[in-house]
Structure formats: structure tokens, C-alpha cells
Amino acid sequence: MTETARTVTLAKRPEGVPGDDCFALEDRPLGDLAEGHVRVRVIWLSLDPYMRGRMNAGKSYSPPVEIGEAMGGQGVGEVIGSRAEGFAEGDIVTGMFGWVSHADAPAGEVRRLDPALAPVQTALGVLGMPGLTAWVGVHRILEAQAGETAVVSAATGAVGSVAGQLARRHGLRAVGVAGGPEKCAYAEEELGYDACLDHRAPDLRARLGEAAPDGVDGYFENVGGVTLEAVLPALNDHARIALCGVVAWYNGQGVADAMPLPAMWRTILVKRLRVQGFIIYDHFHRFPEFLAEVGPLVADGTLRYRESVTEGLENAPAAFRAMLEGGNFGKTLVRVGPDA
Ligand SMILES: NC(=O)c1ccc[n+]([C@@H]2O[C@H](COP(=O)([O-])OP(=O)(O)OC[C@H]3O[C@@H](n4cnc5c(N)ncnc54)[C@H](OP(=O)(O)O)[C@@H]3O)[C@@H](O)[C@H]2O)c1
């Protein structure tokens, strides 16, 4: 059994975009496998925008990664050793293994996957945390009603691609916002958005007015930045904002030029908006309900998804940087090792 784990650690806290010098690649000993634990060979690592927040000092909704500590993250892998009842070598499991090639994990913190149901890496995307986030956001936070218009930003990403499709299935007019013509074409042609607007092209505000002629009733907010500033004027009175993320600001870019707080606050007042931030941790108990509804839609191909795969753990930092700036197209994954 393997005794070391290739590990990407946090070498330095980033200022702005996290450069290569913020990460270190090391081989770390695993030690003896403890009672009640499984040893996992990681196959897939999920890269998610929240990881950028954990690189900063100071608590957000999850604690910061300490300098020298392995970067955290969810993975999918194969059990290669087990001292836990109910787990055997060859099982495929998901858990918070981190940016590593191998990990020991308590059996209570891993979930076995059935490779016959869906490709195992979907447990990190459409059938995992991002899919659940989209489902909770559309159904519980936006309280979307058939016939209304919703806007989804980062419309082709891990969360947004599911949110847009669920909104459409629920009878809403769904307008996506994404970076570049290729993503916008995919959003309309494959994901079924009624329209998708490129946030990099000029006059986003005017184009949004045309794409949502009856105004916007719900905004699934993934990005902040200029997209938020374009959406605000289009919101109808009593519209809802499901505030899921503000990735445009995670590296600090555009923060100084953002719309002034008094203007924003006044808009919320005058339009009687309901803005609700939500963190998916509070909704994990709904996972079985989500899986029962969305699992069959993925299995029969009704719900589409796309993956942006980078080969090799050592390339995770570059893939992570790219994702934060729109270089991904679909769920961002690192292939750490071969299939079981
Ligand atoms: N609240 C929660 O519990 C929770 C859970 C999961 C995710 N989230 C949040 O949901 C959002 C999406 O996450 P994800 O995992 O699905 O990532 P993703 O959408 O797959 O990837 C991030 C995307 O953000 C977009 N983006 C980056 N900079 C931008 C900018 N300046 N303006 C507009 N768009 C920009 C890019 O899309 P384009 O190329 O289309 O611009 C990029 O592809 C993030 O804000 C994340 O933090 C929140």
C-alpha cells in the first residue's frame, strides 16, 4: 500500500490572483492506517471558487487553510486499504480528501458511490455540491414561479448550468450571462436558456433589457461585478436575489470600482427586493431529496453537464487560477490518477 501522498500545500497567502508561489508540491508520509479509516487513491479532485476564500487569513464561512497545510477539497477515489467495517478495497468513494494523491479518511466521512448510476466524478459536480447548490437556490431561495423571468450568472459553470436548466424545467424564462460567444451559444443550444448574454461584450445592461422584456423576477447571483450592476436596473419590484457567490471579486479585481453602497442599498429599498445569501452547508440534509429528483434527469440525459478536466495534481494551481477567471467551461476537475 502506498505510504506517501503527493500533496499541494498552501505556501503563502495570495494578494490578488494566487500565483505559483502560493502553492508547494510535496510528498508527505501517510503513516499507519488507523482503525475505522480507509486509505484512498484519489482519482478526481474538484476545484471550487470557495477555495480562494480559504486561502485568505480570517474566518469566512469555513476556516482558512493554514500555511503549510494541504489545500482542502472534495475528491473521488478508490479504496486501497480498509480498517473500517463496510468498506473494501476497490470501493469508489467521495470525501474531503484535499489536493492530494492519497488520503486516509474516517469511514464516517466518506460516501460510497455506485459507478453504475453515473460517471463517478459527477459526485463533484452535477450530482454533488454544485448541483445541490443550484437546486436549493432555484427552488428554496429564488422561490421561482412558472412564467417569471430569472437571470443566472456564470450560466455555463458548475452551479449555473444546473440552475438555468432547473429554472427552465420549472417554466421560467431563463436568461444566462456568461463569458464569451462560445459559452453563450452552448447555453442557448445545449442547456436550453432562452437567451444568453456575453458579459465581456459592450452594453450588457441594454441587451439584458431586450432579453428580459418583462423585467427580471429572480436573479441567481454567482458573480457580482459588472453583471450585478447590469442586472439591478432590470429587476422588477419585489424581485428576489439568491446570493450564491461573487466570484468576480474573489481575487480583489474590480472591488474598488464597484457600484457605491448607498446606490445599491437604495435600489434594494425602492424595489423592495429580497436578497438572500445562502451557504450550501445549511442545506446538506436535502441531499437525498435532490438526488432523487436530479439523479434520474442526469441518467437519462435530460439534464446536461460539461466538465473542464486538467490532467495531473501538479497542474491544479493553474487550473484553479483559470477557473476564477473564466478559463473553465463546465465543472472544473483535476484528474489525479487513472480510473479504478
Ligand atoms: N453559496 C454556496 O454555498 C456556494 C456553493 C457553490 C458555489 N458557490 C458560488 O457559485 C459561483 C459559481 O461556482 P461554480 O463552482 O459553479 O464555478 P464556475 O461557474 O464553474 O466557475 C467560475 C465562473 O465564474 C465566472 N467568472 C469569473 N470571473 C468573472 C467575472 N469577472 N464576471 C463574470 N463572471 C465571472 C466564469 O464564467 P464566465 O466565463 O461565464 O464568465 C467562471 O467560469 C461562485 O461564486 C461560487 O463561489 C456558492
Side-chain angles (χ1 to χ4, degrees), residues 210-237:
E210 287 164 24
D214 298 328
V216 175
D217 305 295
Y219 176 40
F220 197 116
E221 164 69 307
N222 283 321
V223 304
V226 296
T227 305
L228 171 62
E229 291 180 21
V231 172
L232 280 175
L235 292 173
N236 291 327
D237 289 351

Side-chain angles (χ1 to χ4, degrees), residues 47-50 61 129-130 133 153-161 177-180 183 199-200 220-227 243-250 253 278-281 322-332:
L47 294 181
D48 298 274
Y50 77 83
Y61 54 85
M129 184 278 280
T133 303
S153 50
T156 65
V159 174
S161 60
V177 180
K183 287 187 178 180
H199 64 76
R200 296 202 197 121
F220 197 116
E221 164 69 307
N222 283 321
V223 304
V226 296
T227 305
L243 177 43
C244 176
V246 287
V247 64
W249 290 322
Y250 290 174
Q253 289 146 338
F278 71 108
I279 299 296
I280 201 57
Y281 302 161
M323 172 190 64
L324 290 172
E325 299 190 328
N328 62 316
F329 195 161
K331 170 64 205 162
T332 307

